[in-house]
Amino acid sequence: MPNYSRARIQDFLDRSDTAPNPDAKGRIFEDLIVYLFERFQGVRVADRNVLDNTGAQELDVVFWNNRVRSPFDFLDPILISECKNEAPPLSSAKCREFVAKLRSRGANTGLLISSSGIAGQLNGYRYANSVIMDALTADRIKVIVIDRAEILALNNTDDLINLITEKYLNLTLRRTLN
């Protein structure tokens, strides 16, 4: 159970929040996610900023999850993560885009790390969580959403294991994102 450095987590977030442009902001936020996940035996970065053959879809951080050695044996061997450090919660359209990325690659599980979480109903649009529930029902795609408050609450790797496990169970058993 390696500990996380709270000061280091806060530094990543502060640098990402004040980065001079969206690309730098995103890269630093992705670096934070790499820091959190590479502390696990059996989990490593497979690639970053991966474009599909058309150049239309980019994957932020892709982890190789060796399910024999990893505590995430219930997740896919290839973990696709989308990292968004944006002030507004992610819209249903952005959630739909991420689900489309997972679907087009045959992935069953994705990590959506959004600093501000995902949006509720706004101006008559569907709830962003409905998009995630629809993906679960229609395609058996599980999207685990992690927000800034949850990242800031992490003290050690066991906390992240427990968070992801609980979110996975809530999604599949209770059909909720909490």
Side-chain angles (χ1 to χ4, degrees):
M1 159 184 68
N3 289 326
Y4 291 123
S5 165
R6 294 178 83 88
R8 190 162 181 200
I9 290 172
Q10 190 63 57
D11 179 60
F12 277 118
L13 290 170
D14 291 344
R15 288 185 298 121
S16 179
D17 290 344
T18 60
N21 60 60
D23 288 339
K25 182 180 193 120
R27 187 175 56 253
I28 295 166
F29 196 63
E30 290 169 12
D31 290 343
L32 167 60
I33 303 317
V34 169
Y35 166 71
L36 295 175
F37 279 89
E38 279 199 327
R39 301 188 55 101
F40 293 101
Q41 183 176 349
V43 178
R44 66 174 173 79
V45 173
D47 211 343
R48 291 179 73 165
N49 305 313
V50 182
L51 291 173
D52 67 356
N53 63 342
T54 67
Q57 291 181 338
E58 181 182 44
L59 305 177
D60 291 342
V61 182
V62 180
F63 293 99
W64 175 252
N65 177 36
N66 180 334
R67 296 190 302 181
V68 173
R69 298 175 55 214
S70 159
F72 302 112
D73 58 341
F74 56 95
L75 300 178
D76 289 349
I78 296 174
L79 293 176
I80 297 172
S81 65
E82 182 86 357
C83 306
K84 298 289 187 192
N85 187 10
E86 299 176 2
L90 291 185
S91 67
S92 57
K94 288 194 177 186
C95 291
R96 226 179 339 277
E97 288 172 19
F98 183 54
V99 168
K101 291 177 185 182
L102 297 172
R103 184 180 296 118
S104 70
R105 286 162 175 87
N108 297 314
T109 309
L111 303 170
L112 181 55
I113 298 103
S114 170
S115 187
S116 300
I118 61 174
Q121 191 171 18
L122 178 64
N123 298 328
Y125 294 108
R126 292 174 40 171
Y127 287 99
N129 64 359
S130 292
V131 171
I132 293 170
M133 291 304 156
D134 289 349
L136 176 65
T137 303
D139 300 311
R140 304 182 79 182
I141 293 174
K142 296 162 199 75
V143 176
I144 307 297
V145 180
I146 300 172
D147 65 26
R148 176 186 290 249
E150 291 164 333
I151 291 171
L152 286 169
L154 298 173
N155 293 308
N156 55 56
T157 54
D158 280 354
D159 290 345
L160 186 54
I161 294 166
N162 293 335
L163 176 68
I164 290 174
T165 301
E166 188 64 26
K167 285 181 171 279
Y168 189 91
L169 288 169
N170 282 339
L171 183 64
T172 56
L173 300 177
R174 297 174 191 92
R175 294 185 48 82
T176 180
L177 300 181
N178 297 328

